[in-house]
Amino acid sequence: MSNKQFQGTINIDVRDSKPDWAAYEQPRTKEGAPNVLYIVLDDAGFSSMSCYGGLINTPNIDKLAKNGAQYTQWHTTALCSPTRSCLLTGRNHTTNGMSCITEASSGFPGSNANIPFECATIAEVLNEHGYNTYMLGKWHLSPADQVNMAATKRQWPLGRGFERFYGFLGGETNQYYPNLIYDNHPVAPPKTPEEGYHLTEDITDKAIEFITDSKVIAPDKPFFMYYAPGATHAPHQVPKEWIDKYKGKFDMGWDKYRETVLRRQKKMGIVPKNAKLPPLNPLGDFKNTKSPDGKPFPELEFTKPWNKLSANEKKLFTRMAEVYAGFLEHTDHNIGRLLEFLKQLKQYDNTIIVFVSDNGASAEGGPVGSVNENLFFNGVPDNLQNNLKKIDELGGPNAYNHYPNGWAMAFNTPFKMWKRYCYNGGICDACIIQWPKGLKKKGLRDQYHHAIDIVPTIYEALEIEMPNEVKGYAQKPLEGKSMKYSFDKPKEPTNRETQFYAMLGSRAIWHKGWKAETKHPTVSGWSNFAKDEWELYDVENDRTEMNNLAKKEPEKLEQLKALWYVEAGKYNGLPLDDRTPVEMFIEPRPQMMKDRTRYIYLPSDTSVSEHVAINIRNRSFRIGSEINIKNRNASGIIFQNGSKFGGHALYIKNRKLHYVNNFIGLKDQIITADKAVPMGKHIFGVSFEKKSEKPKGVARGILTLYIDKKKVGQGEIALQPGGYDLAGPGLIVGKTNHEPVTEDYPGKRPWVFTGGDIRYVAFDVSGTPYEDLEKRAEMMMARE
């Protein structure tokens, strides 16, 4: 290590001196040290995969389960960023400052979205033990203000122990047009959707490439790989041939699916024989239920029984399930590609493989699902008839779809609720560990465990002690318990006693087989935590939380309630936060730059994230671009911000200046100049004068095109009230390799501006900026 003291001899003549390389040698692992591969899926419910009783084919995951240890009581935090922080550090999410997703940080020790360096990641530790460390896919552990090229990169993957990174930084991304980062810089996808591009296949190719790059040089050097596809988080996008494999497979509907899967789970031993299905709406009807202080609960969105749906609803919702199933099986296929490569390298038998999902299935599609999530974020409800028109495009580049919440309950069978809740539907997830050389007893494991237990398990398997100091930072103790004892003793009682949970107002405590939890709607703004209704379950014998024993065992309940506060105090679990998305979003947070009214962007291969780009919503604005036209047939994009699901752009086509404002993917509002583009240096301008606002937040006015100071085109347009696409490409000048704002662009991707030189694109905004905080906040909360 570099901190070792020089032990050689130094004289005047090098011939009389003795070198010492010990301080500079690369760290080396023990001979035969195994590789470690994390496979982390997103929003995959407990019962979606066939090895957990589900009806979606996952043959490669099934093989891991058959040949390894398959856990039936392994738990997460109920949300993405928090769980991932646990998987990487071995500490609780609130110890990591990750009580919620990174975009909802609140500046307290448990919720600042900055994983302390005192909580070293497993990549940081293994790197110092001689491992290569690779991260592929979804990160979502960087504070929102640091996800741009001007920000510090200390909480990016390369800043937290990974030597190589290829993936995306946010909570979700388009599977066909992802916001890719390679190490610390943005890159374009290597192919287009028309050429067969899909993100899961791309990151799998890169995973194979990363391993190859090292193994051809140092075959015996082990690696730690964190392979985290964006699947199966929304948008549910996958090539059509995978979707069509499931045609008709979900016609039974979600009620029958739940019943069928529960029977399978009992037969397989996944759940006890006495497990019962909770109601489809397990929290009851909050619309008609009063809270303990007499106030109505915030309204929740309810799921209809399948037999109460119309024929068109069944048709649409069935297809949405088929898309999701194809997405999951496609992901399984690519997992198989990676595992097959390890076999070819003779590395498979000595690789510890940890397969998990980060939380339960997602209900973010609401009761009717969506074909374009950006509609909801802009306050425009999904329309069944319009959605049906897109049914054949679900899963493709022209849809941004999510199934309705009935399927969330179904894919979490047999548990109640879903992602965001501390009921088992939110926190009880798939976990499989396989290691042919070190785990001999295969089959089911019923021990109670949590995401914080994975890191201690790996350290024990590798015979590594958690160091007291990493990179100069004194380390906080690991908070998880190793699961390795269960490798050889499948029936051994769990070594855990207690686990606390807190998520968006929902909270729970598990202690020695008992679980106390609150009936509290998440992100509701209701507060009144002191008046929460606490429930009590003997989850050792009532896995589906059906028999509330709060009244029969009041003393036990009070003990657990008190224990929750002890644990929350120990792990930075306070303050509790159930604020609405809008309240969370307006929380003051660190900003790199002061607000300004003038922005200048230059031609670049790098886009500017919508988080930090110019905001024109509900306000008048001006745009000016200085361009030297050198060819009378100059054409291409001058700038673009957004995507086909909402955005605006300026471009030249057929020797005419064009401006397009795509209103939430519903309508291209195109204004075209009536005069040809002249040769030479000119200012090409846009001016929007807001005239009215109807409905609220939708600015309507006149858009005028200019060449120099001369009007060349004019028309009426409306601006969408919310964001364009926070998972989209952002703002870029001179070209885009991402999805287009409009299909009207000239030529073909990447629509590079040719025939002239763009000097800059300047934006000027006036008046009071409008921010539809609720819509934008809801958009952020969905990026989990």
Side-chain angles (χ1 to χ4, degrees):
M1 297 279 188
S2 59
N3 60 351
K4 292 182 180 179
Q5 297 295 315
F6 178 75
Q7 299 296 318
T9 303
I10 299 176
N11 285 311
I12 292 175
D13 193 328
V14 69
R15 297 169 184 80
D16 301 322
S17 303
K18 181 180 179 183
D20 177 20
W21 288 105
Y24 310 104
E25 289 180 340
Q26 295 187 50
R28 295 187 180 183
T29 59
K30 296 178 182 179
E31 186 175 347
N35 309 302
V36 180
L37 171 62
Y38 275 17
I39 303 173
V40 181
L41 294 195
D42 204 328
D43 292 1
F46 185 81
S47 65
S48 55
M49 292 159 283
S50 45
C51 57
Y52 278 89
L55 304 185
I56 300 174
N57 296 322
T58 51
N60 294 293
I61 299 170
D62 292 356
K63 289 177 186 176
L64 292 177
K66 181 180 178 181
N67 297 313
Q70 180 181 2
Y71 294 84
T72 64
Q73 292 197 83
W74 183 85
H75 299 79
T76 61
T77 69
L79 211 58
C80 146
S81 303
T83 294
R84 290 162 191 258
S85 76
C86 298
L87 290 171
L88 288 176
T89 69
R91 285 87 166 184
N92 281 293
H93 61 310
T94 45
T95 301
N96 291 325
M98 207 67 67
S99 69
C100 190
I101 57 172
T102 57
E103 295 88 349
S105 59
S106 58
F108 295 97
S111 58
N112 56 40
N114 284 267
I115 298 177
F117 289 98
E118 291 81 3
C119 297
T121 70
I122 186 173
E124 290 171 310
V125 173
L126 294 188
N127 193 257
E128 293 193 1
H129 280 270
Y131 275 73
N132 284 131
T133 52
Y134 313 127
M135 199 266 139
L136 287 303
K138 173 174 170 174
W139 180 241
H140 208 197
L141 292 172
S142 302
D145 64 293
Q146 296 180 23
V147 184
N148 63 78
M149 291 309 295
T152 174
K153 310 299 185 293
R154 61 190 177 192
Q155 293 289 357
W156 287 30
L158 268 62
R160 294 312 306 253
F162 289 98
E163 297 170 327
R164 304 186 72 179
F165 168 52
Y166 187 79
F168 59 101
L169 295 172
E172 72 181 48
T173 196
N174 192 303
Q175 298 294 307
Y176 297 109
Y177 303 98
N179 289 332
L180 283 175
I181 301 290
Y182 197 152
D183 293 340
N184 275 358
H185 64 279
V187 294
K191 295 189 295 186
T192 67
E194 294 78 12
E195 295 169 329
Y197 181 83
H198 191 279
L199 176 60
T200 308
E201 296 173 4
D202 188 14
I203 67 165
T204 306
D205 291 343
K206 269 290 184 288
I208 292 170
E209 177 185 314
F210 285 0
I211 295 170
T212 300
D213 288 348
S214 173
K215 290 296 185 181
V216 297
I217 298 169
D220 297 328
K221 185 172 184 177
F223 64 82
F224 168 66
M225 176 174 285
Y226 179 49
Y227 173 87
T232 50
H233 195 292
H236 300 157
Q237 296 172 318
V238 69
K240 189 173 182 294
E241 60 266 25
W242 293 90
I243 302 169
D244 289 345
K245 295 173 73 173
Y246 287 90
K247 189 171 180 59
K249 300 292 186 181
F250 297 94
D251 288 357
M252 69 182 77
W254 44 62
D255 297 306
K256 290 293 184 182
Y257 181 98
R258 295 175 75 211
E259 295 169 5
T260 302
V261 168
L262 180 57
R263 287 195 297 269
R264 286 167 54 89
Q265 290 174 327
K266 290 180 178 181
K267 185 175 181 180
M268 295 167 69
I270 301 295
V271 299
K273 297 291 186 183
N274 66 347
K276 298 179 181 178
L277 281 179
L280 192 59
N281 293 296
L283 298 191
D285 188 349
F286 280 162
K287 296 176 185 176
N288 302 314
T289 303
K290 300 292 184 181
S291 64
D293 65 351
K295 296 180 180 178
F297 274 110
E299 196 170 296
L300 293 181
E301 295 180 299
F302 295 92
T303 306
K304 290 181 183 179
W306 190 258
N307 62 9
K308 299 293 185 182
L309 298 176
S310 69
N312 279 337
E313 286 175 319
K314 291 179 180 178
K315 179 180 178 181
L316 178 65
F317 299 168
T318 296
R319 187 60 174 176
M320 288 176 165
E322 293 168 3
V323 172
Y324 177 78
F327 193 18
L328 177 55
E329 185 174 346
H330 176 261
T331 306
D332 176 88
H333 169 75
N334 280 281
I335 291 170
R337 289 177 54 217
L338 178 57
L339 299 182
E340 182 60 31
F341 175 73
L342 293 178
K343 291 176 182 178
Q344 293 173 7
L345 281 186
K346 308 298 184 186
Q347 296 289 326
Y348 184 79
D349 288 347
N350 200 27
T351 298
I352 303 173
I353 301 171
V354 178
F355 170 88
V356 299
S357 174
D358 63 356
N359 46 245
S362 169
E364 286 153 12
V368 299
S370 179
V371 300
N372 174 6
E373 285 189 312
N374 214 21
L375 293 174
F376 171 75
F377 303 137
N378 280 273
V380 178
D382 274 273
N383 178 283
L384 179 64
Q385 294 307 316
N386 288 339
N387 287 356
L388 280 167
K389 294 175 184 177
K390 301 271 288 187
I391 194 168
D392 292 331
E393 295 190 64
L394 295 180
N398 294 323
Y400 206 95
N401 45 287
H402 194 302
Y403 56 57
N405 56 22
W407 289 120
M409 276 293 289
F411 294 139
N412 281 334
T413 301
F415 303 129
K416 63 169 68 169
M417 297 306 289
W418 40 63
K419 172 182 178 178
R420 299 182 182 175
Y421 281 87
C422 294
Y423 290 101
N424 274 351
I427 64 171
C428 193
D429 292 291
C431 175
I432 301 166
I433 300 178
Q434 182 195 275
W435 180 22
K437 277 196 174 181
L439 192 157
K440 301 299 183 183
K441 295 191 176 181
K442 306 166 186 178
L444 297 176
R445 305 290 195 277
D446 287 328
Q447 295 92 346
Y448 193 101
H449 277 288
H450 188 271
I452 61 175
D453 299 333
I454 298 296
V455 166
T457 304
I458 298 301
Y459 289 162
E460 183 179 359
L462 301 182
E463 300 179 354
I464 287 175
E465 294 287 336
M466 178 67 207
N468 294 324
E469 184 180 291
V470 176
K471 295 181 178 178
Y473 291 91
Q475 291 297 295
K476 294 183 179 183
L478 293 174
E479 294 166 1
K481 295 279 189 179
S482 173
M483 302 160 63
K484 188 174 182 297
Y485 71 94
S486 68
F487 288 8
D488 300 322
K489 299 178 180 179
K491 301 299 182 181
E492 185 80 0
T494 183
N495 62 3
R496 288 186 132 274
E497 286 195 354
T498 307
Q499 181 60 45
F500 104 104
Y501 297 90
M503 185 54 61
L504 299 169
S506 178
R507 50 186 166 141
I509 183 83
W510 176 89
H511 182 67
K512 295 183 177 180
W514 289 84
K515 185 182 177 188
E517 56 198 337
T518 59
K519 185 177 181 178
H520 193 112
T522 61
V523 288
S524 63
W526 180 59
S527 185
N528 293 305
F529 295 107
K531 297 182 179 180
D532 266 338
E533 178 186 342
W534 282 84
E535 301 170 342
L536 178 68
Y537 298 99
D538 174 11
V539 290
E540 192 68 26
N541 300 298
D542 180 17
R543 200 84 60 86
T544 60
E545 301 166 295
M546 290 288 287
N547 186 19
N548 182 6
L549 301 174
K551 292 181 179 179
K552 289 185 178 180
E553 301 277 356
E555 199 170 302
K556 171 68 71 174
L557 178 60
E558 290 305 314
Q559 290 173 353
L560 291 182
K561 285 165 64 176
L563 182 58
W564 186 91
Y565 282 99
V566 171
E567 295 294 292
K570 188 188 304 182
Y571 300 122
N572 297 331
L574 296 172
L576 296 169
D577 192 352
D578 72 342
R579 290 175 298 171
T580 63
V582 61
E583 290 176 299
M584 288 186 179
F585 188 75
I586 63 175
E587 177 78 21
R589 295 184 178 88
Q591 298 295 326
M592 288 193 306
M593 302 294 294
K594 295 179 180 179
D595 287 339
R596 60 191 195 272
T597 60
R598 185 172 177 81
Y599 295 72
I600 297 178
Y601 300 101
L602 305 177
S604 175
D605 290 334
T606 303
S607 61
V608 178
S609 165
E610 190 176 336
H611 290 285
V612 292
I614 175 70
N615 168 17
I616 65 166
R617 289 186 293 282
N618 205 25
R619 70 203 313 188
S620 299
F621 62 85
R622 310 281 187 277
I623 306 171
S625 178
E626 183 180 320
I627 306 176
N628 184 8
I629 302 295
K630 297 179 177 180
N631 186 308
R632 64 189 301 271
N633 292 316
S635 69
I637 291 175
I638 298 173
F639 85 88
Q640 167 176 301
N641 190 2
S643 71
K644 66 180 63 177
F645 303 108
H648 70 143
L650 189 65
Y651 58 102
I652 294 176
K653 175 184 178 180
N654 297 332
R655 301 186 62 201
K656 299 286 183 70
L657 183 66
H658 296 67
Y659 171 84
V660 60
N661 195 293
N662 178 334
F663 191 86
I664 326 177
L666 297 176
K667 181 181 181 181
D668 280 4
Q669 305 167 103
I670 299 177
I671 310 298
T672 302
D674 56 18
K675 290 184 171 52
V677 170
M679 298 288 290
K681 292 182 180 180
H682 299 277
I683 301 295
F684 297 86
V686 175
S687 174
F688 174 73
E689 297 293 340
K690 177 183 172 181
K691 298 296 184 183
S692 64
E693 181 182 336
K694 186 178 181 181
K696 183 181 177 181
V698 177
R700 299 179 184 275
I702 302 300
L703 190 291
T704 306
L705 295 178
Y706 292 87
I707 297 179
D708 298 321
K709 295 182 179 181
K710 187 173 182 179
K711 292 181 182 181
V712 295
Q714 194 171 78
E716 185 174 344
I717 66 167
L719 307 184
Q720 66 186 58
Y724 294 139
D725 182 357
L726 291 181
L731 189 151
I732 192 166
V733 173
K735 65 178 178 181
T736 183
N737 209 20
H738 212 279
E739 56 188 338
V741 165
T742 177
E743 298 295 336
D744 188 54
Y745 287 156
K748 297 181 180 179
R749 184 180 287 103
W751 303 290
V752 177
F753 187 83
T754 60
D757 297 325
I758 302 172
R759 185 181 174 197
Y760 63 81
V761 177
F763 289 77
D764 185 84
V765 290
S766 59
T768 303
Y770 174 81
E771 181 89 342
D772 188 336
L773 292 168
E774 183 171 6
K775 298 302 178 293
R776 187 171 172 88
E778 286 169 346
M779 191 172 191
M780 299 307 307
M781 291 305 301
R783 306 301 180 192
E784 300 164 10

